[in-house]
Amino acid sequence: MGATAEAQQAQSTPLPQIVVTPPVNTVKPARKRRAPTPVAKTEEPANQLGTYNPALDLKGLTLPPGTTLTTAGPVLGYQALSAFSATKTATPIEQIPQSIQVIPRSVLADQLSVTPAEALRNVSGAQGMNPLSTPTFDASKLRGFPAEQWTDGLSVYYNAGDRDSLVNVERIEVLKGPSAILYGGGSGDPLGGVFNFVSKLPKDLASQEIGVTFGSHRYVQPYFDINQPLNSSKTVLFRMTGQYTGSDSFIDALHTQRYSLHPALTLTNRNGTSFTVQADFSNWKQKEYQGLPATGTVFGNFALRSDMFIGPSNVPDSYSRREAVTLTLDHRLDPIWSMNLKARFSRSEFDEQVQTLFGQDGFQANKPFIPGTSFWGLANAHLHQLVHEQTVTGHVKGEFQGKDVKSTFVLGADYSRVTDKGFLDAEFAPAFVDLTNPAYPAYTEPTAAGRFQDASNVYVTKGAYAQLLTSLWKRVHLLAGVRIASISIENNDPVAFNFQVSDTAKLLPRVGAVVEVVPGISVFGSYSEGMKANPFVNYSGPAKPEFSDQIEGGLKLQLPYGLSGTLAMFEINRSNVPVANAATPGLSIAAGEQRSRGVEADLLWQPGRNWQFIANYAHVNATLTKEIPATFTSAAIPAGNFLNGVPTDSGRIWANYKFDGMLTGWSLGGGVYIASSQFVELANEFKTPTFHSVDAKLAYDTKSFGVSLSVKNLTAQHYYEPFSYFGGRVAPVSGPEVYGRIVFRN
């Protein structure tokens, strides 16, 4: 999947090996000789778009016709030809022994994606955050296990601020499974995988883009993208993107305001050295939405209004904000060795106030508090969190070329410190509410007398790693690496009488191989491990990190006529999962065990310059492999139960057609996403139904102007999705929503 360039021309032979530079004037063929296939070579990684990024290491490499080079790497139609996140080298995806999918900017634009969750439906087995949820945590999933939304290869702790902004995203690189060999910031390595959001960077040709997206429920989103070299030698480059979003909702009482600004400055000598400063400022404000209980929506003998907002009108708006600065130095030491240093300093703060439900199952609240009725209890709650995160990472890279052997060696280290301070106050309201005819008491802010948590936690992750990627005869690609990882956890919560300190070190290996068995078809296999701490968890015993391991294998395709993709089988095991401790209410122990197994297919077909097809499918079996003991609010949960919020089967098909001739500039697209039923909670009592969503778009686009119209959920399907709130509830999905976008470029 990839950028705004034309799709690959139909071919009868496989594409040449690609990690690419853009086309320039081709050399005229010698007299009486057959004209060569167009190949581009440059003296530096720059193209007609003015892209300059020494970290991509594109010097002297080749590309097929029609490729566009972005600051994140080369793209052919919808197909990204390389991925930097997986190996910290610009390696062709078909040579990496891991399931990796990339969603380039062109897919986001063609589908008129308005949230990351919508964009991630283009990847098998991926579930993003519901846009109704407050940006105070991350419940994204990959292959049934927790994933995380990162930015430029560094963690974004809690994912606060304007989480759903896409204005500064050049591409989304999706790494499936543990990736601890190269990434260990925040509280450790994501267990199910990473959604790495790669930012737009300054280019050396001036460009401007301004536009506005508008849509249903008074949705309005003006945005801009301004790129400007600041001197004639183009050694000082500047770019800024930004947007504001204001919207009502199909949910009563919800009005959202959010914004994000992303200035970036690059200093470069245009000879292998660059220093980039990126800043991020974002803010989100909206009333806290807590979802709906499963009883009365997907279960029960009464029905609740799907557009109902639970709580009184005087509940204050919640907010979530984030400020960050990222510094990146790339320097080529000599023709063989180069180095990269990156540091990020960020501050996140969020504040949630809500009048929440509690029921027979506590604050999970999927059952009425009074059995056999539609009456729930109420509590006023206030959660505040302040987080500071400092991350420093660096590596050196050596590239060695022989006659039949090419090797890339990476040696690196990283350090991250997160301080996480917050409190949770809650007081029960002196009333019950009948959700079939609700009348809520006024919200009153709870006092510190009702404090449930007053945590001051510190997470320090550090490690060193070595990785060797070797290609033999351009057909066998071997990857081996190891990380010496350390996670230090300090939990301090006087309210919960929790004072825990732990320090865990572990060797985390990663090995894999890709072998081309026939031109365009390769088999691959890999094994990797991960380790991660769990934020905002109070333990009654040692604060142990989680461990995970993954084995996967399958096929990688790079076939004629524009067909490419990955077919994979996988198994991930997860241990030391926090579960409630029956002996100490409110505290957890690191004793849970889970497993996810499945098969996936991610395919892209670009049979000519006009057509692009995306198709994916995932079958995921994610279960408990160890019983969770009973507590005072719930019975024991047996091994074999399915994990909540994970569809067993899901997939998407999308097609896009670009017209020629008199209709040049016009395009038409559409697709459908299908997901099977999902359990709402681990007890597996409640289940959302199977659903599908049909989307369509019509667009007209030129170099200077663009207009597009998109309809989401075209067939008006009414359904609920699991909603991560106090252990799991459900959230409705809107009927048809219409969005339009107008863009001006220069």
Side-chain angles (χ1 to χ4, degrees):
M1 293 176 283
T4 56
E6 296 177 344
Q8 171 188 351
Q9 300 287 343
Q11 299 183 43
S12 58
T13 57
L15 286 174
Q17 180 177 337
I18 31 185
V19 179
V20 240
T21 50
V24 295
N25 294 331
T26 55
V27 179
K28 293 182 179 180
R31 185 176 298 177
K32 296 182 181 180
R33 292 183 182 179
R34 184 178 179 180
T37 301
V39 166
K41 294 187 177 181
T42 62
E43 294 304 316
E44 61 182 11
N47 77 341
Q48 67 274 18
L49 298 181
T51 298
Y52 184 80
N53 186 354
L56 295 178
D57 292 332
L58 301 176
K59 185 174 181 179
L61 298 172
T62 61
L63 75 157
T67 300
T68 296
L69 182 61
T70 74
T71 56
V75 179
L76 182 65
Y78 279 4
Q79 183 186 14
L81 302 178
S82 66
F84 189 84
S85 301
T87 61
K88 293 199 174 180
T89 65
T91 305
I93 292 174
E94 65 269 23
Q95 298 179 12
I96 302 173
Q98 182 179 0
S99 185
I100 299 164
Q101 281 72 48
V102 180
I103 308 170
R105 187 76 199 176
S106 61
V107 174
L108 304 179
D110 278 356
Q111 295 178 352
L112 219 168
S113 300
V114 293
T115 66
E118 182 184 333
L120 290 169
R121 287 182 170 181
N122 292 293
V123 175
S124 65
Q127 288 87 45
M129 285 294 294
N130 191 308
L132 290 171
S133 63
T134 305
T136 58
F137 66 100
D138 199 334
S140 302
K141 290 183 173 66
L142 259 174
R143 292 182 166 175
F145 280 171
E148 292 184 13
Q149 182 172 317
W150 286 21
T151 300
D152 298 325
L154 297 179
S155 69
V156 182
Y157 201 73
Y158 283 136
N159 209 3
D162 188 0
R163 175 197 59 213
D164 292 331
S165 175
L166 293 170
V167 68
N168 200 49
V169 176
E170 188 65 69
R171 62 164 62 178
I172 306 172
E173 296 189 352
V174 180
L175 282 65
K176 296 182 176 179
S179 300
I181 179 66
L182 300 177
Y183 300 104
S187 58
D189 171 57
L191 304 172
V194 173
F195 304 133
N196 186 30
F197 285 61
V198 182
S199 300
K200 296 176 180 178
L201 293 175
K203 303 182 294 185
D204 62 9
L205 289 181
S207 63
Q208 297 84 38
E209 179 177 312
I210 60 171
V212 60
T213 303
F214 50 88
S216 301
H217 313 298
R218 299 173 63 186
Y219 184 97
V220 59
Q221 185 184 76
Y223 74 93
F224 66 89
D225 180 354
I226 308 298
N227 183 84
Q228 181 63 55
L230 299 183
N231 63 350
S232 59
S233 60
K234 298 183 179 180
T235 58
V236 182
L237 312 175
F238 177 77
R239 189 172 190 174
M240 176 181 280
T241 65
Q243 71 178 29
Y244 165 84
T245 306
S247 175
D248 290 338
S249 173
F250 66 98
I251 304 295
D252 284 351
L254 286 191
H255 177 74
T256 306
Q257 296 184 75
R258 54 187 175 93
Y259 70 82
S260 60
L261 293 172
H262 311 274
L265 179 71
T266 295
L267 308 177
T268 175
N269 65 357
R270 305 196 61 81
N271 190 28
T273 300
S274 70
F275 177 69
T276 299
V277 181
Q278 298 165 267
D280 298 282
F281 307 95
S282 69
N283 188 77
W284 174 98
K285 184 171 70 171
Q286 176 192 288
K287 288 186 185 300
E288 175 87 354
Y289 181 69
Q290 60 182 283
L292 298 172
T295 303
T297 52
V298 299
F299 176 82
N301 57 3
F302 58 88
L304 303 179
R305 282 177 38 231
S306 62
D307 62 351
M308 178 172 57
F309 175 81
I310 296 174
S313 59
N314 73 323
V315 174
D317 282 347
S318 297
Y319 67 81
S320 179
R321 60 175 65 109
R322 179 175 180 268
E323 301 88 31
V325 61
T326 305
L327 311 174
T328 305
L329 173 66
D330 288 293
H331 178 61
R332 178 160 290 281
L333 302 169
D334 59 36
I336 294 176
W337 292 96
S338 60
M339 60 173 287
N340 171 276
L341 295 174
K342 187 184 289 284
R344 176 176 295 157
F345 307 92
S346 67
R347 177 188 185 276
S348 300
E349 180 184 15
F350 54 85
D351 190 273
E352 300 174 86
Q353 298 191 60
V354 65
Q355 187 172 96
T356 188
L357 303 177
F358 69 88
Q360 299 172 56
D361 46 357
F363 286 105
Q364 189 166 290
N366 279 312
K367 301 177 183 178
F369 186 78
I370 303 176
T373 73
S374 54
F375 282 84
W376 272 263
L378 294 171
N380 296 319
H382 182 195
L383 171 67
H384 183 269
Q385 207 79 8
L386 179 63
V387 179
H388 290 89
E389 184 174 4
Q390 301 90 37
T391 301
V392 179
T393 179
H395 68 267
V396 294
K397 178 172 59 179
E399 299 169 286
F400 307 92
Q401 180 77 55
K403 181 180 179 181
D404 296 316
V405 180
K406 179 182 178 182
S407 296
T408 303
F409 177 69
V410 178
L411 182 67
D414 52 62
Y415 172 89
S416 176
R417 177 183 174 87
V418 175
T419 58
D420 182 6
K421 298 181 179 181
F423 64 82
L424 172 61
D425 296 341
E427 293 176 344
F428 294 104
F432 290 94
V433 61
D434 179 0
L435 287 185
T436 63
N437 186 26
Y440 304 101
Y443 174 82
T444 57
E445 185 173 339
T447 66
R451 185 150 294 182
F452 276 58
Q453 289 183 322
D454 191 6
S456 178
N457 301 325
V458 179
Y459 305 96
V460 176
T461 66
K462 51 185 180 289
Y465 56 87
Q467 173 188 271
L468 180 64
L469 179 63
T470 298
S471 296
L472 306 173
W473 310 290
K474 298 182 180 181
R475 296 185 61 184
V476 178
H477 311 283
L478 307 175
L479 177 66
V482 66
R483 176 183 177 87
I484 305 172
S486 170
I487 295 181
S488 173
I489 307 171
E490 296 180 20
N491 291 145
N492 184 354
D493 190 338
V495 172
F497 301 102
N498 181 37
F499 305 95
Q500 299 287 344
V501 177
S502 68
D503 200 340
T504 306
K506 195 175 190 296
L507 284 176
L508 302 173
R510 180 189 187 191
V511 293
V514 181
V515 179
E516 187 180 59
V517 291
V518 297
I521 301 179
S522 300
V523 297
F524 79 96
S526 66
Y527 174 83
S528 61
E529 295 184 6
M531 179 170 70
K532 184 183 187 301
N534 285 283
F536 214 63
V537 174
N538 279 322
Y539 291 92
S540 60
K544 298 178 182 178
E546 289 190 42
F547 299 124
S548 65
D549 61 76
Q550 173 182 267
I551 184 169
E552 70 170 333
L555 299 176
K556 296 214 169 196
L557 309 177
Q558 189 68 47
L559 294 169
Y561 304 103
L563 180 61
S564 61
T566 302
L567 310 176
M569 301 178 62
F570 65 88
E571 177 179 300
I572 310 177
N573 293 287
R574 181 183 179 195
S575 60
N576 283 356
V577 182
V579 296
N581 186 355
T584 54
L587 298 181
S588 300
I589 55 175
E593 295 180 3
Q594 303 174 0
R595 174 179 296 150
S596 177
R597 291 172 170 166
V599 295
E600 296 172 336
D602 289 270
L603 298 174
L604 170 66
W605 184 33
Q606 301 185 124
R609 58 177 295 160
N610 303 96
W611 284 103
Q612 292 95 22
F613 296 91
I614 298 171
N616 69 66
Y617 167 75
H619 176 82
V620 179
N621 189 308
T623 61
L624 298 174
T625 54
K626 183 177 180 181
E627 179 183 274
I628 299 177
T631 69
F632 74 105
T633 59
S634 64
I637 301 176
N641 272 24
F642 290 93
L643 303 190
N644 54 302
V646 181
T648 303
D649 297 281
S650 61
R652 185 177 201 183
I653 297 175
W654 170 267
N656 191 70
Y657 182 77
K658 296 179 180 178
F659 291 90
D660 280 333
M662 295 180 62
L663 295 179
T664 296
W666 287 93
S667 62
L668 183 67
V672 58
Y673 174 79
I674 303 175
S676 63
S677 57
Q678 306 170 54
F679 286 105
V680 176
E681 26 62 87
L682 286 175
N684 287 184
E685 293 184 75
F686 309 109
K687 202 174 189 181
T688 61
T690 297
F691 72 89
H692 70 272
S693 179
V694 177
D695 304 329
K697 72 98 185 189
L698 176 67
Y700 176 73
D701 199 51
T702 69
K703 290 183 178 180
S704 59
F705 173 75
V707 60
S708 56
L709 183 70
S710 174
V711 183
K712 319 286 185 180
N713 194 9
L714 180 65
T715 56
Q717 293 297 304
H718 176 74
Y719 59 93
Y720 291 92
E721 293 181 314
F723 190 73
S724 298
Y725 198 90
F726 276 117
R729 303 185 193 178
V730 299
V733 175
S734 174
E737 291 185 330
V738 180
Y739 292 91
R741 180 174 293 165
I742 300 174
V743 181
F744 298 92
R745 308 182 186 93
N746 184 16

